[in-house]
Amino acid sequence: MLTGQQFQNEWNEPYYVLFEDFTHVKFHQRPLREVVELQGATFDGIRHVEGWVPQRLVTATGPNPLPR
């Protein structure tokens, strides 16, 4: 079930599913290349970030998981 929609700009307004651990999955209506080109830029591929480490989840209760 979709749980929300982000209103980023007129070309990109993805829907998303939010999970209990605050992770989410976005579903875009247009491909990334199309959005980039609609904004007047040139799409020359995707580059992955080297050495990226995900951030720790920190909530109002601290870095501990939320109680179930």
Side-chain angles (χ1 to χ4, degrees):
M1 173 188 326
L2 297 173
T3 54
Q5 183 178 12
Q6 287 184 321
F7 300 97
Q8 297 176 352
N9 60 45
E10 60 188 286
W11 305 288
N12 189 27
E13 297 182 337
Y15 292 92
Y16 62 88
V17 176
L18 181 63
F19 298 98
E20 287 183 15
D21 65 355
F22 299 107
T23 58
H24 61 277
V25 176
K26 291 184 186 179
F27 298 92
H28 296 265
Q29 297 173 349
R30 296 182 176 170
L32 176 61
R33 176 184 208 115
E34 184 178 339
V35 172
V36 168
E37 291 172 349
L38 283 168
Q39 293 178 7
T42 302
F43 184 84
D44 60 352
I46 296 173
R47 291 171 185 76
H48 295 276
V49 177
E50 302 262 340
W52 179 78
V53 178
Q55 295 178 339
R56 266 186 355 166
L57 175 65
V58 178
T59 66
T61 60
N64 303 318
L66 294 173
R68 296 220 169 227

